[in-house]
Amino acid sequence: MKYPDIECPELGVLRYEEDYDWYKGKFKIQQSDISIQLSTDAENSVTSALTRATNLVGELENYAQLAKEYAAQGLLQVKNETWIDDEDEEPLTPEQFQQRMTLESICIDSDGEVSFYHNDGDLFWGHCILVTMNSENRFIEAEIAG
């Protein structure tokens, strides 16, 4: 089934990807292209996720920074105790940890949950850093993924 593109002033053009059952687009945060995916609900409607996305977009840079801070709080100790490459590598500060992270993608579920996917800057040997925010805008999880 063909779903029409959605033109959103805040997010640009969103195209349906049938293989993933989501709408996908790109937008900029601080001169970086960020991919955004909006999941459909059980009735194949994207309305909930689109509403959530348009409500967030004005604060997205702030939430992106808070996601990095949350990841550093939750994963810095793991990095410094377990993922050090060799004896010469110094433990990282929270600021160094955050600087190595690069936001690549944001996924918004129909229930309002937002997932921030980051390139790890080789903190965890190429694994993704995933930070999840619930529908009340509270960060609830930071994990090493992929």
Side-chain angles (χ1 to χ4, degrees):
M1 179 176 189
K2 175 78 171 134
Y3 292 90
D5 291 349
I6 297 172
E7 292 190 36
C8 178
E10 297 86 358
L11 301 172
V13 176
L14 303 167
R15 290 192 168 82
Y16 185 72
E17 291 188 346
E18 192 170 353
D19 290 345
Y20 301 103
D21 201 27
W22 66 27
Y23 279 84
K24 185 174 182 178
K26 285 193 180 280
F27 66 101
K28 286 195 180 292
I29 292 181
Q30 298 175 348
Q31 286 75 41
S32 296
D33 284 332
I34 306 299
S35 175
I36 187 165
Q37 294 88 29
L38 306 178
S39 294
T40 59
D41 61 20
E43 289 79 40
N44 286 330
S45 173
V46 73
T47 303
S48 295
L50 184 59
T51 299
R52 175 81 164 127
T54 55
N55 288 337
L56 279 178
V57 76
E59 292 294 317
L60 218 37
E61 284 188 38
N62 180 49
Y63 286 122
Q65 179 57 40
L66 292 172
K68 286 184 174 186
E69 292 170 11
Y70 188 83
Q73 290 171 5
L75 299 174
L76 180 62
Q77 184 175 354
V78 172
K79 164 61 181 167
N80 286 337
E81 292 179 0
T82 310
W83 291 78
I84 296 289
D85 278 340
D86 57 51
E87 296 167 6
D88 295 333
E89 185 178 355
E90 293 291 320
L92 297 176
T93 66
E95 293 78 19
Q96 291 169 323
F97 185 96
Q98 292 172 47
Q99 287 172 352
R100 297 211 6 215
M101 295 174 63
T102 304
L103 182 63
E104 293 183 327
S105 177
I106 297 171
C107 296
I108 301 177
D109 291 337
S110 60
D111 66 1
E113 191 170 274
V114 181
S115 300
F116 296 82
Y117 290 86
H118 300 85
N119 178 299
D120 76 336
D122 211 29
L123 291 166
F124 300 106
W125 305 337
H127 291 274
C128 174
I129 298 174
L130 171 59
V131 182
T132 306
M133 182 172 73
N134 69 14
S135 61
E136 286 85 38
N137 298 334
R138 283 191 292 255
F139 290 97
I140 58 172
E141 188 172 22
E143 63 185 302
I144 304 163

